[in-house]
Each structure stands twice: as C-alpha cells, then as structure tokens.
C-alpha cells in the first residue's frame, strides 16, 4: 500500500502533467491578492500611454491564457475591465494588422512614434514603476 507521501507525489506529478497545478497556483495568488487589496484606496489616474501599454499587456496575457495574471493586472492597475476596442488601439499606436484575424498572431506592426516616445522606453518605465515595486 502506498504511503501518504507517495500519494502526494503522484497527485502533484499528475496535476503538473495536466497543467492544472499552475492554474491552481495562479488562481490562489489572484484570490489572495483580491483578499488583501484595499479597495477603499483610490488607484492613481492612468496616463494615456500607460492605458495603451496595459492594454497590450492584457492582450498578450489573454492570448496566452494567463487569465488570472490578467485579472490581477486589471485590479492592480485600474485598467478598465472592458478591453479597449482593437481598432482604437491600432489607430492610437499607429499600428497595422498583417492578418485579418483578430488574434495576437496577427502581429501588430507598431510604428514606434507615441508622441515622440519610444515604445520600449514606455514599457520599461511601466515595468520599473509597477512590476518592480
């Protein structure tokens, strides 16, 4: 008969192989964040650039099925719950879609002129400000 330790190991291995364990851990992190989040504290107003950057990050997260990570981004950043219209995003970024489908695989070709700021600088500023805190 298997020991409790052996059963735990088999269960963990099975959940990892099915990809369930990662989802469970992400869900627990999201729920812990929600429980600890002080909703009475107002979020800072998002700048136009950060709104666009957050939306690109959300699109990436949702495309890759990181839905719990996306929910934490939305809650933490104050990003609107309803995603921005993709065509609006394309216009704002001076971008173009190389494909007719509405997926991340369409690869937005971004013209790196966001009010004379480079997109990578904006993304780096966002990461320094929000992720490394």
């Amino acid at each position: 008969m298997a020991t409790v330790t052996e059963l735990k190991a088999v269960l963990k291995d099975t959940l990892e192989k099915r990809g369930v364990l990662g989802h469970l851990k992400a869900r627990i992190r999201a729920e812990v964040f929600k429980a600890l989040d002080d909703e009475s504290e107002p979020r800072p107003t998002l700048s136009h650039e950060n709104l666009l950057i957050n939306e690109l990050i959300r699109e990436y997260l949702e495309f890759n099925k990181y839905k719990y990570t996306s929910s934490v981004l939305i809650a933490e950043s104050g990003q609107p719950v309803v995603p921005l219209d993709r065509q609006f995003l394309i216009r704002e970024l001076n971008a173009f879609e190389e494909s007719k489908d509405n997926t991340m695989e369409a690869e937005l070709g971004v013209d790196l002129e966001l009010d004379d700021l480079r997109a990578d600088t904006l993304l780096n500023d966002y990461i320094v400000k929000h992720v490394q805190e």
Side-chain angles (χ1 to χ4, degrees):
M1 188 164 160
T3 66
V4 172
T5 304
E6 291 171 332
L7 289 173
K8 284 181 183 178
V10 169
L11 180 60
K12 181 181 177 188
D13 186 50
T14 302
L15 292 174
E16 281 178 346
K17 286 180 181 176
R18 291 184 182 171
V20 175
L21 191 58
H23 289 291
L24 290 173
K25 287 179 179 180
R27 177 65 189 234
I28 289 169
R29 281 192 296 271
E31 291 300 325
V32 168
F33 172 77
K34 284 181 187 177
L36 296 175
D37 190 31
D38 183 6
E39 293 183 14
S40 66
E41 184 178 321
R43 300 280 180 237
T45 305
L46 282 174
S47 69
H48 183 70
E49 289 84 7
N50 279 352
L51 180 75
L52 296 175
I53 291 168
N54 288 350
E55 195 60 35
L56 289 173
I57 293 169
R58 177 195 346 219
E59 185 170 322
Y60 165 80
L61 293 173
E62 290 180 1
F63 174 79
N64 287 292
K65 310 246 186 294
Y66 302 146
K67 60 184 176 182
Y68 301 116
T69 306
S70 178
S71 70
V72 171
L73 170 71
I74 292 165
E76 215 171 4
S77 68
Q79 188 79 2
V81 176
V82 176
L84 297 176
D85 178 68
R86 187 173 178 86
Q87 293 308 313
F88 169 79
L89 196 58
I90 289 169
R91 281 192 308 274
E92 289 298 303
L93 294 173
N94 251 351
F96 60 90
E97 272 186 295
E98 294 181 357
S99 173
K100 294 287 184 194
D101 61 8
N102 236 9
T103 65
M104 191 74 154
E105 290 173 339
E107 295 183 22
L108 293 178
V110 178
D111 182 359
L112 295 178
E113 295 178 36
L114 290 174
D115 299 325
D116 297 324
L117 296 173
R118 293 183 41 87
D120 56 346
T121 302
L122 288 173
L123 184 56
N124 186 49
D125 290 348
Y126 176 84
I127 291 170
V128 168
K129 183 176 179 183
H130 292 89
V131 177
Q132 294 180 350
E133 289 182 342

